[in-house]
Structure formats: structure tokens, C-alpha cells
Amino acid sequence: MAFFESMLTLMLVAIVFLQFSRKFRIPYPTMLSIAGVVVAAVPWAPEVAIDPDLALALLVAPVLFDAAYDLPPRTLRRNWLPLFSLAAIAVILTAAAVAVVGVAMAGLPLAAAVALGAIVAPPDAAAATAMLDRFALPRQTYAVLKGESLLNDAVALLIFSAAVSAAASPAFFSGALAELSLAVPGGLVFGYLMGRLYMVVGLRLAGTLGGTLLEFVATFGTWIVAERLHLSAILAIVVYAMVIARYMPERQTARHRIHSYSVWEAAVFLLNVLAFLLMGLQARQIVLNLDPGRLSFAIGFAAAVFVTVVVVRLAWVLFYNRAIKFLAARGRTTQAAPTFAASLLAGWCGMRGLVTLATALALPIDFPDRDLILLSALAVVLGTLIVQGLTLGPLIRFLKFDPDTSLERDLARARVALIDAALAELTGGEDDSIRILRDVYTSERKIAADGKHPREVSRLDKQRRNVIVAKRAKLAAMRRSDEIDDDVFHMLEQELDWAELGALPPSRDEIVES
């Protein structure tokens, strides 16, 4: 009961801090990191820990699934070179540079130093997109920064798993190649098979609460079974999510999709809150147990790791910019060279978040220099979220990107095509309902052809929203006066919810924190 009470208290603190996030337009992971520090600083903070084996499965598996679900293979093909540069080379260079700092400055064993490098190497897209969504950025830059999160998580977690295994078994490297030769392709195949199996079972349960629970059971189950089979759980989750994202949505009902997406958003957000608060509480215990001399050294070392992480990413991204321009000028690549402003923004979008916290918490209790690694990981997360997170908005405004309207053009063209399909379906009918619908769609087509969303300017939808407000007021009055029972109230309330959702512009039906 004490653990549950502590978690409720921590959640309440996070909710309070998130109000400041919305008011001052600060990325919510930045406020969560501050909340974690505040909770850790209070004298009565509880001692809460999480089992290392549980940390990766509980905190990372859903986040990997969520990222992979939103990254279609066509985006990988179209932007393979910048994604490979950020997700593979930048992560490997960052991990290697941090490992060198760990060995040279703190005398860490090589495996522990590599584990630290893998922990702090992958940036978190949630922190970046929370800010980037508020600005009109070049479409490709945004797509690359968002798509990077999945691949860099996978690369970093593979390095982390290898380092932890090497620390636990000195003979690891002699059998590493043989183990990886099975784990990597085995994880890919297993993830594909689990995705296809979910397609069969999930469709039968679609639209039910059991179907929603199955989504979580299947995701965690894929991770756990892959681990039991000594396959790559990371790659299994990535492929599993991509298979579902490719085939499942078009076979689901609208109600199931809306329910499923909202549940997953809430779950991933909850995991972010838990990770930041758990990490803050563990850091508190570490600081209290360290003697002053060791603590001073740990703070200095953590600062060095933070600087290394920021400098290596920025240097590599700017070098990539120059290299692509050099190769493009000589006709040796067809890849479009990014602008200097886009490269500078990508280099500065290096905020660390949930994956870094989760992998740090996943270190075995007896791992060499675990306390120092945890403090360094927390320092990198706090440093990047506060320093980079708070300066990202001013940097975007300073760089003054040229407006990219390609997304709006594509949306307008697709909307017109859909409305044309609707009008074609109504051709030939002469009853009143068909004539009314034809007039509505003809009006919406004119609005869509001008590049606007029909529900944003449509007088009809505005009147629908006004009518729904009036209906809600009447429904509430009927409930207060006991004209209707609560079961009738809730059924009609749900009908009004769906009607309002259908009349709202897209920009007004989003979850704020995400």
C-alpha cells in the first residue's frame, strides 16, 4: 500500500508541473525532469525502486512499439541516409566517445563504460516533437527527427544488451558473433510471426475491452518470449509493430481506433511520468549514500559526459552536412543535402528521455559503478532537457526557416479526391437526403480546394457544434431535475461526444501533452 500511495503522490506532483508546461509552452519531458528532481529533494521522499529485469520490459517495450507503429517503411526508404547517419553512426560515435571518457576519467571497466555510452546515446523524439509541433519546419527535417527515435533506440539498446552481457560474462565476446547471428534474424522473424498472429486474434476481439487489453498483453508478451528464446526483443518489437501498423488500421472500426490510440497515448505518457520520478528517487538514494569527495567527483564526471554527448552529436551532424554537400556537388550521391539551418537544428535536438532512464534503471544491482552510471544518465537527461529543451524554440525562431507548405498541399489534394469519391457515390440519386448531402459535399469541395479544412470554416459544422452545446446543456438540466436516470444520461452523452468529434476541426481534438 505504501508503494501505491507513493506513486499516487508522485503522479499528483507531475500533474501540477504539467500545468506549467502548457502555460509556458515548455516541452513536457522538461517539466517532468524538474518534477523528478523536486520529488527527490524533499526530505520525506519515499524509497522506491524497480526490478532491473522489469524496467526494460515495462518502460521500453511500449515506447518502442509506439515509435515503430508511427514509422512507415516508406519513410525509412525515402530518408535512409540521414536516418542511418543519426540513428546508427551518431549513436555509435556518442557511445564510443562517452566510453572513452568513462575509462579515462573514471577508470570504468570497458563493458561498464560502453553500457554508459549506450544509455546516454539515443535522443528522445517525444521531447523534440513536443516543441517542434509548434513550429512550421521543413517537412523532411521533421520526418527525420521523428523517425530517428525508433532506430536510435534500437541501436543503443542492442549495444547496451551486449555491454551488460559482457560485464556479466568475461567469455561473452568469444560467443558474441554466434549469439548475434541467431538473435538478430531470429528477432526479426519472431516479430513478424507475432504480428501476423495478432492480426488473426486481434481482429476477432476488435472493438472490445478485451481487444484493448490484448494489445498490451501481446506487446509485453512479444518482448518477454523473445527474451526467453534469447532472440533480440528490441527487433522483435519493432517488426511486430510495423506489421500491425501496415495491415491492422484499415481493418478496424473507427471506434476501436480512437479508443486504442487514446489508451496507448495515455499509457506511454504514464510510463514517462513513472520513469522520471523513479529515476529521481533512485538518484536521491545514491547521493545520500555517497561521501562528499565521491559525490563531487561524480558531479564533475556527469558534467563531462553531458558535454561529450552534446558536442559529439552536434559535430557529427554538421560534418554530415558538409560531407553530403561535397558528394552532391561531385555527383556521387542523389541524396538532397540538408541546409545548414536544418543540420544545426537536428544537432541541437538531442534531448534524452525515457529510453535513457529506462536502460539506466535496467542495470543489474551488482553492475560495476552502477551508482556513477545512474547519476551520469540522470545528469544527461536533465541537462539536455533543460538546456536544449528550453533553447530549442528560440533557436528555431532565430534560424527563420522558409515555410514548407507541401504537407498542406498534399492534404488539400487528398481531401478533394475523397470528396470527389463521395460525390461520385451520390450521382444519380434524386431523393431529399441525397440532394442535401450532394450540396454539403459540393460546398466542402470548394473549401478543400482552397487548402482549408472544411470543418474549420464550414458554417454547417459551426452550427452543429452550437447545437451540440445546447443539447449538452439540456441533457445536464434533465439529469439535475431527475427527468432522466444516469444510464440514459451517459448513453446520450456518448452520442454527443461522437457527434462533436465529427464536427471538430483536427487541430481541436488532440491530446495536449503529446
Side-chain angles (χ1 to χ4, degrees), residues 25-40:
R25 299 177 66 82
I26 299 171
Y28 79 82
T30 301
M31 295 309 300
L32 288 180
S33 66
I34 297 174
V37 172
V38 170
V39 168

Side-chain angles (χ1 to χ4, degrees), residues 276-307:
F276 278 102
L277 299 179
L278 287 171
M279 190 66 169
L281 293 175
Q282 289 218 1
R284 168 189 169 85
Q285 296 304 314
I286 293 170
V287 169
L288 292 176
N289 293 334
L290 287 176
D291 61 79
R294 177 69 171 170
L295 180 59
S296 299
F297 169 77
I299 293 173
F301 176 71
V305 172
F306 164 67
V307 172

Side-chain angles (χ1 to χ4, degrees), residues 441-456:
Y441 282 124
T442 301
S443 173
E444 289 186 350
R445 191 186 190 285
K446 295 177 182 177
I447 297 171
D450 291 334
K452 300 175 183 177
H453 194 288
R455 292 202 301 269
E456 290 176 338

Side-chain angles (χ1 to χ4, degrees), residues 17 33 54-55 58 86 174 320 350 353 466:
F17 271 81
S33 66
L54 176 62
L58 177 63
L86 289 173
S174 62
Y320 170 82
N466 292 338

Side-chain angles (χ1 to χ4, degrees), residues 408-483:
E408 288 75 13
R409 290 197 306 271
D410 289 349
L411 282 172
R413 186 165 57 250
R415 285 192 187 112
V416 170
L418 294 180
I419 294 173
D420 284 342
L423 289 171
E425 178 65 22
L426 297 173
T427 300
E430 295 301 331
D431 61 56
D432 290 342
S433 62
I434 290 179
R435 283 196 296 271
I436 292 171
L437 276 177
R438 190 185 298 129
D439 291 341
V440 170
Y441 282 124
T442 301
S443 173
E444 289 186 350
R445 191 186 190 285
K446 295 177 182 177
I447 297 171
D450 291 334
K452 300 175 183 177
H453 194 288
R455 292 202 301 269
E456 290 176 338
V457 296
S458 168
R459 293 182 180 180
L460 179 61
D461 284 305
K462 183 179 180 180
Q463 290 302 323
R464 283 177 181 166
R465 293 193 290 270
N466 292 338
V467 168
I468 290 170
V469 171
K471 285 184 175 180
R472 288 190 187 280
K474 177 62 176 178
L475 184 64
M478 293 173 69
R479 184 192 194 189
R480 286 193 299 268
S481 63
D482 288 334
E483 292 182 54

